[in-house]
Amino acid sequence: MGLYEFKEQDAHEFARQQGIKTNQKGDELTFDVCPYCHGGDSKDHNTFSINLRSGAFNCMRATCM
């Protein structure tokens, strides 16, 4: 069994499956809302992104995950 290799299309497919709108800026795919915390109680937007080269992801909200 081989190791998983991240592909840019994986991030786009994840967003599609979650039903979340995205915006691509350079190597970052920014989500309208975080698929984990959904923006919290204040419904923050554009706090979650996935790096399209490495697959690393991050939500900028301190209370997320």
Side-chain angles (χ1 to χ4, degrees):
M1 179 183 257
L3 295 175
Y4 169 74
E5 186 175 323
F6 176 79
K7 295 179 271 326
E8 180 177 329
Q9 187 56 37
D10 296 338
H12 291 282
E13 180 62 20
F14 176 69
R16 188 191 67 75
Q17 289 177 353
Q18 297 296 311
I20 300 173
K21 293 180 183 180
T22 61
N23 183 35
Q24 185 172 339
K25 191 173 197 179
D27 291 336
E28 296 290 321
L29 187 66
T30 302
F31 286 52
D32 185 44
V33 295
C34 175
Y36 299 103
C37 70
H38 305 285
D41 293 338
S42 58
K43 304 293 182 205
D44 292 333
H45 288 271
N46 303 311
T47 60
F48 180 85
S49 64
I50 298 177
N51 182 285
L52 297 173
R53 289 187 182 218
S54 68
F57 61 92
N58 185 41
C59 178
M60 302 301 286
R61 297 188 73 251
T63 56
C64 183
M65 300 198 302

